[in-house]
Every structure is written in structure tokens, then in C-alpha cells.
Amino acid sequence: MKKILIKYIDGACKIQKIKQGDWIDLRSREHVELKQGELKLIHLGVCMQLPKGYEAIVAPRSSTAKQFGILLANSIGVIDESYCGDGDEWGFYAYAIRDTVIEAGDRICQFRIIEHQPEIELVGVESLGNKNRGGYGSTGRN
């Protein structure tokens, strides 16, 4: 079992692994008011020391856009093990799709820990030698 060291910033909610699923919820550390079209970094109240060779993927919860009217501006966040100082607080760079209010303690995103990509070699070739699948959206609607 890998241990993750967590430093909580004042006002932060404690986090814990959920019983079902692999993702762990993160909460806003602060009260935030956003107008439609506004961007703001929402502080999540945690700094972590990830194990060597691991990184965190941060993504919105499935209900975040509907409940709070925000999107994660950079789609996902990637935090590697070098972002581990006492001031390296995790954040959610929010883009408001409508006027909204987020309260301190609201669950707005989630994360999971994964191993770094294995060592790979990229090799250029003239042909992959495979049949084309049909392009974007080729699997249909059903």
C-alpha cells in the first residue's frame, strides 16, 4: 500500500477514499462567486507528497457542470510528485458557464493516483500495416 502525505490548509475539509470507486473527491476551500465567462483558481485546501513514480489526475465530478455551472478550464489537471511543497496547494481552474456560487466544502472535483507512463520509444514508420477503423465518430450513436 502506497502512503500519501497530505498537508491541509486552514479551512480545508479532510479527504478520504470513497468505499465504491477509485476516485477521491476534493472540495473547495473557499466561498467563490463567479460571473458567466469568468475564470478563477479555486483552492482545494490540500498539498500532497505523492510516492516517487506516481502522479495525480484531477478531473471535475460528473455533476460539477450541472450543479455549479463551472468547467475545469484545462480539462484535466496532472500533478506529478515534484509538486510537493508546503505551499503547493492543489487547485481547480474554473471557467463559469453561468453566474454561480460555490461554498467552502462543496465537492467540485476528484482525483486518482496513477503510475507514470512506462519508458517507451517512439519509432517513425511509413505505414502501421493495419486496416483503418473509419475515423472520428465511426462507432455510431448506439
Side-chain angles (χ1 to χ4, degrees):
M1 176 181 302
K2 302 289 182 188
K3 290 188 180 182
I4 309 289
L5 302 179
I6 303 172
K7 176 187 174 192
Y8 292 98
I9 307 298
D10 291 341
C13 294
K14 302 288 189 244
I15 60 174
Q16 56 189 343
K17 189 171 180 326
I18 58 176
K19 293 178 183 166
Q20 186 175 10
D22 289 336
W23 292 78
I24 301 168
D25 289 335
L26 292 167
R27 300 169 183 265
S28 175
R29 177 173 60 89
E30 55 199 343
H31 170 89
V32 176
E33 294 183 22
L34 292 162
K35 299 292 184 198
Q36 183 176 357
E38 189 175 359
L39 288 165
K40 179 169 177 56
L41 179 65
I42 300 174
H43 296 98
L44 300 173
V46 294
C47 304
M48 294 189 206
Q49 181 179 331
L50 302 176
K52 184 172 176 50
Y54 287 80
E55 59 198 13
I57 303 296
V58 179
R61 298 180 75 242
S62 61
S63 61
T64 298
K66 178 182 173 187
Q67 285 187 336
F68 300 107
I70 57 173
L71 305 173
L72 184 56
N74 56 334
S75 301
I76 64 164
V78 179
I79 302 170
D80 68 29
E81 79 268 21
S82 70
Y83 193 71
C84 60
D86 285 338
D88 290 337
E89 182 176 1
W90 290 20
F92 182 102
Y93 196 48
Y95 174 76
I97 56 177
R98 60 174 162 80
D99 292 358
T100 189
V101 174
I102 296 137
E103 298 296 342
D106 282 344
R107 296 181 301 161
I108 59 171
C109 59
Q110 56 192 341
F111 77 99
R112 70 175 298 150
I113 306 296
I114 61 171
E115 287 188 78
H116 288 315
Q117 179 170 280
E119 190 172 320
I120 61 171
E121 178 183 0
L122 301 173
V123 179
V125 296
E126 292 295 321
S127 172
L128 297 175
N130 303 314
K131 179 181 172 187
N132 291 335
R133 193 181 97 181
Y136 292 108
S138 63
T139 59
R141 296 186 82 172
N142 298 333

